[in-house]
Amino acid sequence: MGSTSRPVYLLDRDEAETTRLNNQHHFLVELSNLIHPSIPKDGITAVADLGTGTGVWLEDVANLLPNKSVYLHGFDISSVQFPRGHKIQRPGQNPIPLSVHNALIPFPEEHREINGWIQWEEVDHTAFCTDAVPELAAITQLRESVIKAMLKLGLCPFAPQRVFGEISVYGFADIVRETYTTAGKDNLQPFAKKWVAGVMRALAPNSLVITGQAQGMKDARGMIEKLILEFEAHCESASALVNLGVTVGRKVR
């Protein structure tokens, strides 16, 4: 949360957003990897998921890792989207605990490791577009409304580049930066179109209110829905582009 009465988090925390987050996870894993190939999975003994949301990423990681005794733990600044009991139940195995914690505050000693790998994924909010030239005005307006709101709130719309820069100067080795894109992947186009529309329905209304372009959420949602319908119609002849930036590094002493 910021120092003002407005939340820094631009998304909602409700059942619809929980569904969108889970669908987003499956789409982005299809676009990239659950765990980056440069990380040796056989050596993993513990995994922390920051900004875990619903915990869906940890569920898939638990199924992927060869060592079923790996300790998994999810953290988020809010528990609203956690499953009941703040645990992911797994028949025949230990449940995965989920805890409330602000990642900007140091973690308790029991959650710290001296060495390990970091995998940080961020969608490039500055690259919401299609492969059409010139760009549809509705897409420009959707993207710029989100960027303006993020900058006003002190957030970083250029997150993939920022993450790579930070990891590069803070004691990590074996750094890999990779960008996964839907460009040229026709099989992902239906999902890309749906995902962009969904994330804009979630992000853009709050953005319009924060930047003063709409008087309230009802007004903002009406404006955004019109733009999204234009975007969806445009995607009948153009490809939606989504860029996911992933930075991986190994912490050394």
Side-chain angles (χ1 to χ4, degrees), residues 52 71 73-79 82 86 97-101 111:
T52 195
Y71 177 67
H73 200 130
F75 300 89
D76 204 296
I77 198 170
S78 169
S79 64
F82 288 178
H86 295 191
L98 305 178
S99 301
V100 174
H101 187 84
H111 295 309

Side-chain angles (χ1 to χ4, degrees), residues 192-214:
K193 171 185 169 181
K194 185 176 181 180
W195 181 81
V196 172
V199 79
M200 284 302 171
R201 282 191 176 98
L203 279 175
N206 278 328
S207 299
L208 290 185
V209 174
I210 288 167
T211 57
Q213 297 175 75

Side-chain angles (χ1 to χ4, degrees), residues 35 41-42 44 47 60-68 70 72:
I35 296 178
K41 291 188 282 293
D42 290 344
I44 295 176
V47 177
D60 281 356
V61 166
N63 294 327
L64 174 71
L65 293 178
N67 180 2
K68 299 307 177 184
V70 170
L72 307 166

Side-chain angles (χ1 to χ4, degrees), residues 29-44:
V29 168
E30 187 71 20
L31 176 63
S32 57
N33 299 283
L34 193 64
I35 296 178
H36 193 272
S38 65
I39 298 177
K41 291 188 282 293
D42 290 344
I44 295 176

Side-chain angles (χ1 to χ4, degrees), residues 163-206:
V163 168
F164 175 74
E166 295 293 320
I167 287 179
S168 297
V169 298
Y170 280 104
F172 287 86
D174 302 325
I175 298 172
V176 176
R177 181 186 179 189
E178 194 160 355
T179 299
Y180 297 91
T181 179
T182 56
K185 298 182 174 118
D186 293 341
N187 62 308
L188 291 181
Q189 277 308 305
F191 305 101
K193 171 185 169 181
K194 185 176 181 180
W195 181 81
V196 172
V199 79
M200 284 302 171
R201 282 191 176 98
L203 279 175
N206 278 328

